[in-house]
Amino acid sequence: MVVAAARAGDESAFTALVERHRAEVRVHCYRMLGSFDESEDLVQETFLRAWKSVRGFEGRSTFRAWLYRIATNACLDAVDGRARRVLPHHIAAPSDPSAALPPRTDIAWLQPFPDRLWEPAAPSDVQPDAVAVARETIELAFLAAIQHLPPRQRAVLILRDVLGWPAKQTAALLEGSVASVNSALQRARTTLKEHLPERRLDWAPSAEPTEQERAVLRRYMHAMERADLAAVADLLAEDVRTTMPPWPMWFRGRDAVVAALAASWDAGSPGYVGRFRMLPTRANRQPAVAAYVRGGDDPTYRAFAISVLRIEDGRVAEATAFHDLSLFPAFALPTTLPPAH
């Protein structure tokens, strides 16, 4: 038996066991932390803690549930005393599109998650016949909202409402009572409603972008590459919101977004960014695009940002452009593109 071999100190058996759960443990840590980079570190920390204590695993729960307990506690330790991860609209009023670009900041920003590393969670251990977790999501709006929860409430909400764990199993994992878990869940749900977009209050499980969303993404990419302001404007919802971490600025409304783009595309403007090329990608189970830019005499397009879009009713309702070049390898994206022909 693999578990018995692992408990006896067989490292290869232990590795085989934990690797079965690497993907879903990574996603669990990402939900808890809001950081892709830190989720990678916490997976390693989880497996290290598990290896050190595997001899004491008595089989009272499944090995998977035991790993989730270790991962959750490692995440709770990691976020203890830290500021929550945010997006620019959480910390400031909308920006003036005519204002100069502010300095980048080292605030703990929310990060996107590459779809290529996402796998759905396994069903609850006490409901092994369940086909899928009813409300499992890694949508950015949800990730941003749960960052407002205290860490333990965050853990309860993820385990109960996202992964579908029963109250008794959640209480056992967190070493608390069913009553305390239910109380924490009610408080978490109340807070969540205050921070989720209205149309996301009853969120559904993450799914592949629809054909309509993919079509909007293609039109958006082409309009951005052509620097076609009218075409971009036609794709934006009237109340669209755009953010650009790590710059602590954001724009609300179609007119503000178009005005900011006009300045960044004007070669005579001090805020000129350059010309774009776009590659489609996948992040947080939402339509996403990798942006590359070239400016001046340099013909090479260089990595600029990974933008995650929320599309509603055939319009871009939100675009979050993560200007973090370290993310490109995680998305299996090149850092440069050759000149377009």
Side-chain angles (χ1 to χ4, degrees), residues 120-163:
S124 167
D125 294 324
V126 298
Q127 297 173 309
D129 296 328
V131 175
V133 178
R135 303 178 81 191
E136 189 190 7
T137 184
I138 55 170
E139 184 179 356
L140 272 181
F142 175 80
L143 265 292
I146 64 173
Q147 291 298 304
H148 291 272
L149 301 177
R152 187 175 176 85
Q153 285 185 31
R154 196 182 309 170
V156 169
L157 184 110
I158 290 169
L159 292 166
R160 293 281 284 114
D161 276 3
V162 180
L163 297 179

Side-chain angles (χ1 to χ4, degrees), residues 174-198:
L174 293 171
E175 297 181 350
S177 66
V178 169
S180 68
V181 162
N182 288 337
S183 176
L185 180 61
Q186 291 306 314
R187 294 196 302 274
R189 286 172 174 169
T190 299
T191 302
L192 198 66
K193 288 180 180 179
E194 298 172 2
H195 296 285
L196 274 174
E198 185 176 348

Side-chain angles (χ1 to χ4, degrees), residues 303-339:
F304 184 69
I306 293 174
S307 293
V308 183
L309 308 184
R310 177 163 57 88
I311 296 173
E312 293 180 350
D313 300 327
R315 295 283 190 275
V316 176
E318 186 167 7
T320 308
F322 295 92
H323 293 260
D324 183 350
L325 303 190
S326 70
L327 291 170
F328 277 68
F331 281 79
L333 290 164
T335 55
T336 63
L337 293 178

Side-chain angles (χ1 to χ4, degrees), residues 264-269 272-276 293-302 339:
S264 68
W265 289 346
D266 180 358
S269 165
Y272 178 61
V273 173
R275 294 299 300 267
F276 284 93
V293 68
R294 70 170 178 85
D297 298 327
D298 184 358
T300 301
Y301 289 84
R302 303 188 183 280

Side-chain angles (χ1 to χ4, degrees), residues 4-261:
R7 289 180 58 195
D10 185 332
E11 189 170 352
S12 62
F14 173 81
T15 299
L17 267 178
V18 296
E19 286 299 327
R20 296 175 189 173
H21 306 289
R22 175 180 290 275
E24 65 172 307
V25 169
R26 182 196 286 122
V27 174
H28 179 61
C29 292
Y30 171 70
R31 288 194 183 98
M32 284 290 297
L33 302 167
S35 165
F36 173 74
D37 292 338
E38 290 189 2
S39 70
E40 294 283 295
D41 295 338
L42 264 294
V43 170
Q44 298 307 316
E45 174 66 18
T46 296
F47 289 174
L48 178 61
R49 292 187 184 190
W51 172 245
K52 289 180 177 179
S53 57
V54 70
R55 292 179 185 274
F57 174 64
E58 298 178 352
R60 295 177 182 174
S61 67
T62 64
F63 189 82
R64 173 178 175 264
W66 183 70
L67 268 187
Y68 262 90
R69 171 182 288 185
I70 295 171
T72 302
N73 286 327
C75 289
L76 291 173
D77 290 344
V79 300
D80 185 30
R82 291 192 193 180
R84 62 186 173 87
R85 287 189 170 266
V86 296
L87 291 172
H89 61 274
H90 296 141
I91 60 173
S95 304
D96 180 349
S98 65
L101 195 66
R104 294 165 66 107
T105 68
D106 58 357
I107 290 171
W109 299 108
L110 197 69
Q111 289 184 315
F113 191 92
D115 275 16
R116 72 185 191 91
L117 298 176
W118 180 85
E119 288 185 16
S124 167
D125 294 324
V126 298
Q127 297 173 309
D129 296 328
V131 175
V133 178
R135 303 178 81 191
E136 189 190 7
T137 184
I138 55 170
E139 184 179 356
L140 272 181
F142 175 80
L143 265 292
I146 64 173
Q147 291 298 304
H148 291 272
L149 301 177
R152 187 175 176 85
Q153 285 185 31
R154 196 182 309 170
V156 169
L157 184 110
I158 290 169
L159 292 166
R160 293 281 284 114
D161 276 3
V162 180
L163 297 179
W165 286 36
K168 184 176 180 180
Q169 188 180 7
T170 302
L173 184 148
L174 293 171
E175 297 181 350
S177 66
V178 169
S180 68
V181 162
N182 288 337
S183 176
L185 180 61
Q186 291 306 314
R187 294 196 302 274
R189 286 172 174 169
T190 299
T191 302
L192 198 66
K193 288 180 180 179
E194 298 172 2
H195 296 285
L196 274 174
E198 185 176 348
R199 296 189 182 189
R200 291 300 190 270
L201 292 180
D202 186 21
W203 75 89
S206 295
E208 290 285 337
T210 66
E211 180 51 44
Q212 183 194 48
E213 289 174 333
R214 288 193 289 267
V216 171
L217 179 68
R218 289 192 295 269
R219 290 171 58 199
Y220 178 81
M221 290 168 55
H222 293 156
M224 293 288 288
E225 290 182 339
R226 299 193 312 270
D228 187 336
L229 282 173
V232 173
D234 188 53
L235 289 165
L236 300 179
E238 185 176 352
D239 59 348
V240 64
R241 179 172 64 202
T242 62
T243 59
M244 299 173 290
W247 284 290
M249 65 187 303
W250 63 283
F251 303 114
R252 180 166 57 198
R254 182 188 297 135
D255 292 344
V257 172
V258 170
L261 283 175

